[in-house]
């Protein structure tokens, strides 16, 4: 064994840590390094120069010089020594050599600057977060000298960006807070393609729109959400969005961008308040094919270019989903360092002698010294307000403790019922600057035989950790608190003058222990002095890593006495002692490789590298104690000599247990270490210390950290103190407060992630703060080889404090996890930190469709196909082929039968129509079209009416005249400039030659505001139907062919594409007949309809079904619900309706507005017990959570949950499924969300991890056949796979309607054929993904029920990392992430996931949402969010059916028209 001497001090960490070595310790190359002795000042300068020489720029032939730094100058060195001598707690992270190592690491990265994308903040948020509003913390957090570094003045944005692009130092630069320079952003994005990653960029601010431009509607005191229906001038279906919008470029390649394609989208139409004007900004076309603003696109492009080059090689141990198809056995990396030494052995302290003549207990010792040497000083303390120090003698300590003990036992309560008995627990509440009073109280409790429980002084009611201390007091049964007079005056008081009741604390009796408040004990009273025993002497508490409090009990007299004897003998650490001068064991120091330490292995380094750590020993084992080092995990097995482990101590002078926690006590205080052969190393019981380290040669103990400060990231262990030390070495005093920084880890995606939180100085700008954060990321990455997941800066004096003034770690972590930290700046780096994402799915070679079918049949899988019942039965009105003939027949047979009843906003009957009245009004309208409009058969007429009876009469008037009606939503009066162009566009796309409307809407179209948006001269002729001709039409039109066009149905898909489909007379009659049979509609029935009557099944139920089936329809306009939210349900109850139809927007409005009014509604007589069918008409996946909330809320007024169901329709078939009255109840299944990403359906139990509830979309309509097909191969698939829903039915639409005769562009959507199997049948492709399941339920015919489950639109599927995601799944997770998120929408851009969230709260809470959104998407969906956009409520566009218009939102974001509160770009 070689001789080990003191190693050179190259201090990487905040405080010098200890080391001695055994033979197996080697350097990083396997050699045993030579060790040197103490180093002189000259040697230190030489060593420092050698360390930094390789990293400093130099000119060939010129002498290398070390630049003069504050630490190298003589004045600064002396000042530094003076600061170190003060001994404040903030100096624990000081190290000049460490700072120099950090600066050298940053110099090494200077050529590849970190491009940190500054977030976009609203101007109001910047103003509210002004640093002038915050008060800096105590000046003790840093010295004046540390903050004296100069800061350069402001420079222009152009020069600042230019310097950043050319790699010049930017640590002292400052730019304008807001820049609208598109050229700068574009130049920065272009240059970033050739740089490695990170450099500051000018701050972008989005100008806020006024209320008029935002379109805020405050009518009736209600501000509603936007609703859009028409958002594109593309006249074909949403299914062509893949082709109409060029796909974003692949960020992993450098292929040239495709040619730009300009895509225009129509403006939205609002229900309550208009949307921000997305379409009137100046746009630029990018190579991605979508017009975007240069500012946002440049930032996103810069982020994309940064992510093209990963910071480091991903870990091999990536996480793989637990499917058999994806499992891959991971082999351990043989290159990782492993311990190679022999097994360590416990070390024994010196023999403990000299106990025979000592007192038997602490009380006996106090009695002896109080009698023998009463005037001998026991304690000397100084007060800040006292000139002379105070000395407490043994005599005073004895007398005062005796007096307190007597008062505790005899003066509290009565003689018959004393408050305190021997063995009770009593709290000691004393400040740190009054140790004399605390000492008297402590020994007074011992003399009174009560157990003292020392706690920290609570300063405010909201002190961090106060509730945990209350739990400690409550669990210990503490009812009395002892304190001094001065401390009592400083405690927070209530209005009555009593001490305030702290949160979670038991009710306490406060007792003042000053002599003036105590009675003198009688001469004959004397306390009982006990000998040593195992009773509890006192209880102290410890705060665990998660913030919980544990109570450590210490046995009385003998352990305490032995401990005090040892301290009086050596006066050092609990289990180790430094060798005294002249000892044969010199102090050991050493430089260790931090990389190897992160793997728990000790390797001596040469000191030439940056990532090294210097340790110094803390001494040897205390006399009478035994020390060993055990492994951190698993069985407490002894570590090897070159392995880091937890230090365990066996001594009678330790704590004995956790109070009331026997299980934890056994694991901590009763540890039995074992050797490699499995045998116990000693008969003694050891106690875990929570300290990490190892035992060197000669029994020297070295501490490398604490167990609670250990963070295990990616299989490597890092110390929180080391991370803080590195962060503080990066120009800390310019931007943050030293000592006001915390580092902790949060568990995200099966691994710990590092979070750094610091309090920001009030005079630092946002650009400077982000520059500092980028340098911190570089320093931590260069020295520790680990990424920081989140770096947050908070305003000064906002982090929770401990009573001693430090940062409360667990409370700060809890605030971060709850989204209540309220940072002023935040930087998320998930792209560089998350390296264990699931393995991307690889595309397998295509298998032939026939092979797929054979494989399914061999595996016993059922082919996914189903059909509704047959349409063979005919009734009287079903002999007519046209709706116009049905209306004429009803007007003749049942002229006075009421078909429609319109309810006004007050809940009364506004108007009604009988069969004859509707027939006559339709005839007059046909006359109007013939005479005034001069229209011919087949002309297209736009019906621009509000929801009501005029729309119905105009529709049948067009049928009587042979014209083709197109229902159009009228423009919103309060947002005419945005909604009117949409109306005009539909008229042009549909080739309408005439407009029919009311007189009020006609005036609106001719108004001055309307003329600004659309020239009135460009409108086709407008016919007002308020004054109709009195003469009837002499001849009504009868179509010659049932396959001719009946009407056009225009609507906007969820992807924002305007689509018009052609509905023939045959398809219209078949659709009405299917709905009639499914819902059992007859003239004696009443149906309540609360839907938008402009497209889809809503139009069919509003206008067509009553005429065909004869039932009375009670019509409620959804617009009236904004004024009277209870209108729909009151009408259902009033008319005793059994069947009602609504939309999700109506259901959501009732749930939100009536949640607290159910009792009053019930008192007013609302009764929903008669409702047997409440159908939600939707073109999306059923919303299970909303449906359950609605049922639960209105259960008290009689609504049965079984009555609520969902219908499904789409563009190619307006009604595919509809829950009938005689069908089985709708079912709900739970599928594995991860399987859906691979187009597989796997049913799981409710509550299973990653389970997704899916509700059935109703029963398949009569005459409808459904098959699930592969959208790529067009072959049928089994029921265990997810595929596209194909429909064959006589009610299918005929095709898309376009202006330029492009009906054949998407003919495949209406005339698709299977690639194998039944290749003759023509199917319509719905564009929706779903699956079929045969249930155990039976329908009315006794056959087993086939349930259809809709998963989502095919056009909305986002394919990321080879897996398919549906936006609604991610959005559901995000809404649950934070209480202030009211709505959200997600979309992708250049393969980046963009999340837009609506904030319901203060703008100061916007930054809290960024980590919450990033965390939940990672945890539940294994995706990294690229951009987080925080906007106001109501910004996300939603159409009248309650569907989000995500593509319209994407265009608005890229065009800088959302006016976001905050935009964060995750790195």
């Amino acid at each position: 064994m070689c001789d080990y001497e003191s190693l050179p001090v190259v201090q990487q960490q905040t405080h010098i840590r200890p080391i001695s070595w055994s033979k197996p310790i080697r350097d990083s190359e396997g050699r045993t390094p030579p060790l040197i002795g103490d180093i002189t000042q000259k040697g230190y300068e030489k060593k420092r120069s050698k360390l930094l020489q390789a990293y400093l720029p130099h000119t060939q032939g010129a002498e290398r010089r070390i630049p003069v730094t504050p630490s190298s100058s003589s004045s600064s060195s002396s000042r530094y020594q003076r600061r170190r001598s003060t001994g404040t707690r903030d100096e624990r992270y000081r190290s000049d050599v460490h700072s120099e190592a950090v600066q050298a690491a940053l110099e090494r990265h200077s050529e590849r600057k970190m491009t940190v994308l500054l977030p976009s903040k609203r101007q109001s948020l910047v103003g509210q977060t002004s640093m002038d509003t915050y008060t800096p913390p105590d000046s003790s957090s840093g010295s004046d000298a540390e903050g004296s570094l100069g800061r350069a003045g402001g420079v222009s944005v152009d020069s600042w960006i230019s310097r950043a692009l050319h790699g010049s130092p930017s640590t002292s630069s400052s730019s304008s807070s807001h820049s609208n320079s598109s050229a700068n952003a574009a130049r920065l994005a272009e240059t970033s393609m050739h740089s490695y990653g990170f450099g500051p960029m000018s701050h972008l601010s989005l100008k806020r729109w006024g209320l008029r431009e935002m379109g805020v509607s405050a009518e009736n005191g209600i501000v509603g959400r936007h609703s859009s229906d028409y958002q594109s001038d593309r006249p074909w279906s949403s299914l062509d969005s893949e082709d109409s919008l060029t796909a974003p470029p692949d960020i992993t390649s450098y292929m040239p961008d495709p040619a730009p394609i300009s895509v225009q989208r129509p403006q939205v139409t609002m229900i309550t308040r208009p949307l921000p004007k997305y379409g009137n900004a100046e746009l630029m076309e990018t190579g991605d094919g979508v017009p975007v603003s240069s500012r946002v696109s440049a930032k996103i492009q810069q982020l994309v270019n940064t992510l093209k080059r990963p910071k480091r090689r991903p870990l091999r141990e990536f996480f793989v989903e637990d499917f058999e198809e994806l499992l891959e056995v991971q082999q351990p990396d043989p290159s990782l360092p492993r311990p190679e030494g022999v097994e360590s052995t416990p070390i024994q302290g010196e023999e403990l002698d000299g106990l025979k003549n000592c007192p038997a207990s602490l009380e006996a010792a106090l009695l002896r010294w109080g009698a023998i040497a009463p005037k001998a000083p026991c304690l000397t303390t100084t007060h800040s307000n006292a000139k002379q120090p105070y000395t407490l003698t043994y005599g005073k300590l004895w007398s005062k403790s005796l007096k307190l003990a007597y008062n505790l036992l005899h003066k509290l309560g009565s003689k018959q019922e004393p408050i305190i008995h021997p063995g009770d627990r009593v709290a000691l509440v004393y400040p740190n600057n009054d140790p004399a009073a605390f000492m008297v109280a402590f020994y007074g409790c011992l003399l009174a035989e009560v157990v003292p429980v020392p706690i920290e002084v609570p300063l405010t009611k909201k002190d961090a950790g106060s509730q945990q201390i209350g739990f400690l007091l409550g669990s210990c049964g503490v009812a009395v608190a002892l304190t001094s007079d001065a401390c009592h005056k400083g405690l927070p008081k209530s209005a009555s003058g009593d001490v305030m009741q702290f949160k979670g604390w038991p009710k306490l009796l406060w007792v003042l222990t000053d002599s003036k408040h105590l009675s003198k004990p009688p001469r004959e009273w004397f306390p009982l002095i006990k000998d040593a025993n195992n009773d509890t002497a006192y209880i102290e508490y410890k705060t665990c890593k998660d913030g919980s409090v544990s109570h450590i009990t210490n046995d009385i007299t003998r352990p305490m006495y032995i401990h005090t004897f040892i301290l009086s003998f050596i006066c050092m650490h609990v289990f180790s002692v430094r060798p005294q001068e002249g000892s044969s064991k010199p102090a050991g120091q050493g430089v260790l490789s931090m990389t190897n330490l992160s793997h728990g292995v000790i390797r001596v380094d040469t000191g030439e590298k940056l990532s090294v750590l210097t340790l110094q020993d803390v001494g040897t084992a205390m006399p009478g104690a035994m020390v060993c080092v055990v492994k951190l995990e698993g069985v407490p097995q002894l570590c090897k000599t070159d392995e880091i482990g937890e230090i365990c101590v066996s001594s009678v002078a330790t704590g004995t247990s956790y109070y009331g926690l026997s299980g934890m006590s056994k694991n901590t205080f009763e540890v039995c270490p074992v050797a490699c052969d499995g045998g116990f190393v000693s008969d003694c019981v050891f106690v875990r210390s929570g300290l990490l380290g190892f035992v060197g040669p000669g029994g020297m103990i070295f501490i490398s950290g604490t167990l609670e400060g250990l963070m295990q990231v990616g299989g490597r262990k890092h110390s929180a103190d080391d991370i803080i030390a590195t962060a503080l070495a990066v120009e800390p005093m310019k931007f943050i407060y030293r000592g006001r920084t915390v580092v902790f880890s949060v568990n995200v995606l099966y691994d710990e992630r590092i979070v750094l939180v610091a309090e920001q100085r009030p005079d630092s700008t946002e650009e400077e703060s982000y520059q500092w954060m980028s340098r911190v990321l570089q320093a931590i990455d260069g020295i520790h080889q680990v990424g920081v997941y989140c770096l947050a800066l908070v305003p000064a004096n906002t982090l929770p404090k401990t009573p001693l003034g430090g940062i409360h770690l667990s409370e700060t972590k809890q605030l971060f996890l709850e989204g209540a930290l309220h940072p002023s700046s935040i930087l998320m780096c998930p792209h560089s930190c998350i390296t264990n994402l699931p393995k991307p799915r690889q595309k397998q070679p295509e298998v032939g469709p026939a092979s797929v079918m054979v494989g399914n049949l061999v595996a016993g899988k059922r082919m996914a196909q189903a059909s509704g019942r047959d349409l063979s039965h005919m009734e009287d009105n079903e002999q007519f082929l046209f709706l116009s003939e049905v209306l004429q027949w009803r007007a003749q047979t049942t002229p006075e039968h009421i078909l429609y009843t319109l309810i006004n906003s007050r809940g009364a009957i506004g108007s009604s129509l009988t069969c004859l009245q509707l027939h006559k009004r339709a005839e007059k309208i046909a006359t109007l079209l013939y005479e005034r409009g001069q229209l011919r058969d087949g002309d297209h007429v736009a019906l621009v009416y509000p929801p009501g009876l005029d729309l119905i009469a105009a529709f049948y008037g067009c049928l009587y005249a042979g014209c083709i009606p197109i229902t159009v939503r009228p423009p919103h009066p309060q947002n005419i400039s945005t909604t009117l162009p949409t109306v005009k566009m539909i008229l042009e796309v549909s080739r309408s030659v005439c407009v029919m409307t009311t007189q009020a809407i006609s005036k609106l179209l001719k108004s001055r505001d309307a003329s600004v948006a659309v020239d009135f001269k460009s409108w086709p002729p407008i016919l007002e139907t308020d004054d109709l001709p009195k003469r009837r039409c002499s001849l009504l039109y009868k179509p010659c062919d049932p396959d001719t066009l009946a009407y056009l149905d225009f609507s906007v898909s969820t992807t924002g594409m305007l689509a018009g489909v052609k509905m023939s007379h045959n398809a219209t009659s078949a659709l009405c007949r299917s709905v009639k049979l499914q819902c059992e509609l007859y003239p004696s029935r009443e149906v309540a309809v609360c839907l938008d009557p402009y497209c889809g099944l809503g139009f069919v139920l509003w206008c067509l079904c009553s005429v065909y089936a004869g039932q009375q329809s009670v019509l409620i306009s959804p617009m009236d619900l904004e004024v009277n939210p209870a209108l729909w349900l009151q009408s259902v109850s009033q008319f005793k309706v059994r069947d009602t139809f609504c939309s999700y927007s109506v259901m959501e409005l009732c749930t939100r507005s009536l949640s607290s009014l159910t009792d009053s509604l019930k008192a007013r007589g609302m009764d929903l017990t008669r409702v047997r069918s409440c159908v939600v008409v939707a073109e999306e996946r059923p919303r299970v959570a909303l449906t359950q909330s609605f049922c639960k809320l209105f259960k008290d007024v009689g609504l049965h949950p079984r009555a609520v169901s969902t219908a499904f329709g789409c563009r190619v078939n307006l009604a595919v499924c509809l829950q009938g009255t005689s069908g089985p109840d709708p079912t709900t299944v739970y599928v594995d969300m991860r399987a859906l990403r691979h187009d597989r359906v796997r049913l799981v139990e409710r509550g299973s991890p990653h389970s997704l509830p899916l509700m059935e979309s109703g029963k398949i309509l009569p005459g409808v056949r459904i098959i699930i097909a592969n959208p790529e191969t067009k072959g049928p698939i089994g029921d265990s796979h997810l595929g596209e829903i194909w429909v064959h039915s006589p009610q299918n639409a005929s095709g898309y309607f376009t202006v330029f005769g492009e009906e054949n562009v998407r003919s495949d959507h209406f005339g698709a054929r299977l690639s194998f199997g039944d290749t003759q049948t023509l199917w319509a492709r719905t564009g929706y993904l779903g699956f079929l399941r045969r249930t155990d339920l039976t329908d009315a015919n006794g056959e087993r029920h086939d349930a259809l489950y809709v998963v989502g639109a095919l056009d909305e599927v986002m394919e990321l990392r080879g897996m398919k995601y549906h936006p609604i799944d991610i959005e559901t997770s995000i809404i649950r992430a934070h209480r202030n998120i009211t709505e959200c929408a997600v979309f992708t851009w250049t393969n980046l996931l963009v999340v837009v969230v609506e904030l319901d709260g203060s703008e100061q809470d916007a930054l809290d949402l960024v980590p919450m959104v990033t965390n939940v998407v990672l945890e539940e969906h294994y995706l990294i969010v690229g951009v987080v956009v925080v906007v106001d409520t109501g910004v996300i566009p939603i159409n009248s059916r309650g569907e989000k218009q995500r593509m319209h939102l994407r265009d608005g974001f890229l065009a800088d028209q959302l006016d976001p509160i905050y935009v964060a770009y995750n790195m």
Side-chain angles (χ1 to χ4, degrees), residues 317-320 748-751 753 833-838:
E317 295 80 9
F318 54 77
F319 170 74
V320 181
V748 179
L749 196 62
Y750 306 97
D751 201 356
R753 315 294 175 185
C833 294
I834 308 300
T835 56
N836 62 332
L837 288 172

Side-chain angles (χ1 to χ4, degrees), residues 18 48 97 129 165 178 190 213 257 332 386 433 477 521 549 672 696 752 817 819 877 965 1037 1052 1121 1153 1180 1182 1277:
R48 185 171 67 86
V97 179
T129 57
L165 296 179
H178 305 282
E190 180 182 359
E213 292 172 324
D257 292 335
N433 58 1
V549 171
C672 298
E752 293 186 33
L817 294 176
N877 65 315
Y1037 174 79
V1052 179
L1121 263 67
S1153 304
E1180 58 177 313
I1277 58 178

Side-chain angles (χ1 to χ4, degrees), residues 799-851:
L799 290 180
K801 301 178 182 178
T802 61
L804 294 180
I807 301 298
H808 200 286
L809 178 62
S810 60
E811 289 276 341
T812 303
K813 180 178 179 179
Q814 189 63 28
L815 290 177
F816 176 82
L817 294 176
E818 293 175 355
L821 194 60
H822 307 319
S824 56
S825 300
I826 193 168
L827 183 60
M828 301 287 297
C829 303
H831 290 282
S832 59
C833 294
I834 308 300
T835 56
N836 62 332
L837 288 172
K839 183 180 179 181
R841 185 179 69 164
Q842 303 295 330
K843 294 275 186 179
Q844 300 296 330
E846 293 294 342
V847 180
S851 301

Side-chain angles (χ1 to χ4, degrees), residues 746-749 753 789-790 816 826-834 837 1370 1373-1374 1377-1378 1381 1393 1395 1397 1407-1429 1462 1464-1467:
V746 295
N747 196 283
V748 179
L749 196 62
R753 315 294 175 185
Y789 177 67
C790 178
F816 176 82
I826 193 168
L827 183 60
M828 301 287 297
C829 303
H831 290 282
S832 59
C833 294
I834 308 300
L837 288 172
I1370 303 177
S1373 301
I1374 293 174
H1378 198 277
I1381 299 178
L1393 181 63
V1395 176
V1397 294
L1407 277 72
D1408 286 319
L1409 306 183
V1410 177
M1412 304 299 292
V1413 169
T1414 306
N1415 291 352
V1416 73
V1417 176
L1418 269 171
E1419 286 278 2
E1420 300 186 11
H1421 304 281
Y1422 312 144
L1423 290 177
I1424 296 178
V1425 178
V1427 184
V1428 180
V1429 186
Y1462 188 83
Y1465 300 91
N1466 290 342
M1467 305 308 298

Side-chain angles (χ1 to χ4, degrees), residues 216-364:
V216 176
S217 171
E219 187 178 24
N220 300 306
I222 299 177
V223 178
R225 171 176 292 281
H226 304 299
S227 174
S228 61
D229 267 350
Y230 311 115
Q231 301 174 16
S232 178
D233 58 355
R234 297 295 294 271
W236 48 79
S237 164
S238 64
L239 294 174
D240 67 342
S241 61
E242 292 291 338
D243 297 333
S244 63
L245 206 62
T246 305
D250 187 0
I251 66 171
T252 60
S253 63
Y254 294 93
M255 298 298 293
D257 292 335
I261 300 176
S262 177
V263 178
Q264 296 181 352
R265 297 184 185 277
Q267 303 307 318
V268 296
T269 303
M270 313 305 162
I271 286 183
T272 57
R273 72 179 176 94
L275 198 65
K277 297 168 61 176
Y278 290 164
N280 298 330
E282 295 181 2
L283 304 181
M284 61 171 289
E285 294 182 359
T286 66
D288 303 314
V290 177
V292 297
S293 167
S294 61
R295 291 183 290 170
V296 174
S297 60
K299 278 195 173 184
I300 294 180
Q301 188 61 43
Q302 184 181 4
L303 178 61
V304 169
N305 293 332
T306 299
L307 300 179
K308 286 179 181 178
R309 304 170 179 84
K311 287 177 63 62
R312 63 176 60 85
R313 179 178 58 86
L315 296 178
R316 296 185 179 181
E317 295 80 9
F318 54 77
F319 170 74
V320 181
E321 289 183 295
D322 56 348
F323 296 109
E324 294 181 0
E325 295 85 351
L326 298 178
L327 287 180
E328 182 174 328
V329 179
Q330 296 299 317
Q331 301 297 330
D333 190 356
S335 62
L336 295 179
R338 301 180 183 279
E340 302 173 358
V342 298
E343 188 177 60
S344 62
T345 57
I347 59 172
Q348 179 73 51
E350 299 178 1
E351 293 281 339
L352 190 59
D353 298 325
L355 296 179
K356 297 180 180 179
N357 298 326
C358 292
S361 63
L362 283 180
E363 297 93 320

Side-chain angles (χ1 to χ4, degrees), residues 1302-1320:
E1302 297 180 359
E1303 291 86 350
N1304 295 327
V1305 173
R1306 294 297 174 182
S1307 60
D1308 182 55
H1309 292 173
F1310 297 88
R1313 299 178 187 270
L1314 294 174
S1315 57
F1316 63 93
D1318 183 8
T1319 59
Q1320 301 301 319

Side-chain angles (χ1 to χ4, degrees), residues 375-383 388-393 433-436 439:
K375 295 185 178 181
C378 175
L379 173 70
T380 300
T381 180
T382 58
H383 292 278
Q388 298 295 332
Y390 173 75
T391 299
L392 179 66
T393 63
N433 58 1
D434 194 3
M439 195 171 187

Side-chain angles (χ1 to χ4, degrees), residues 568-582:
S568 64
F569 181 68
I570 55 177
C571 193
M572 278 302 293
H573 198 273
V574 176
F575 61 85
S576 66
V577 56
R578 298 281 297 156
Q580 299 180 1
E581 294 185 6

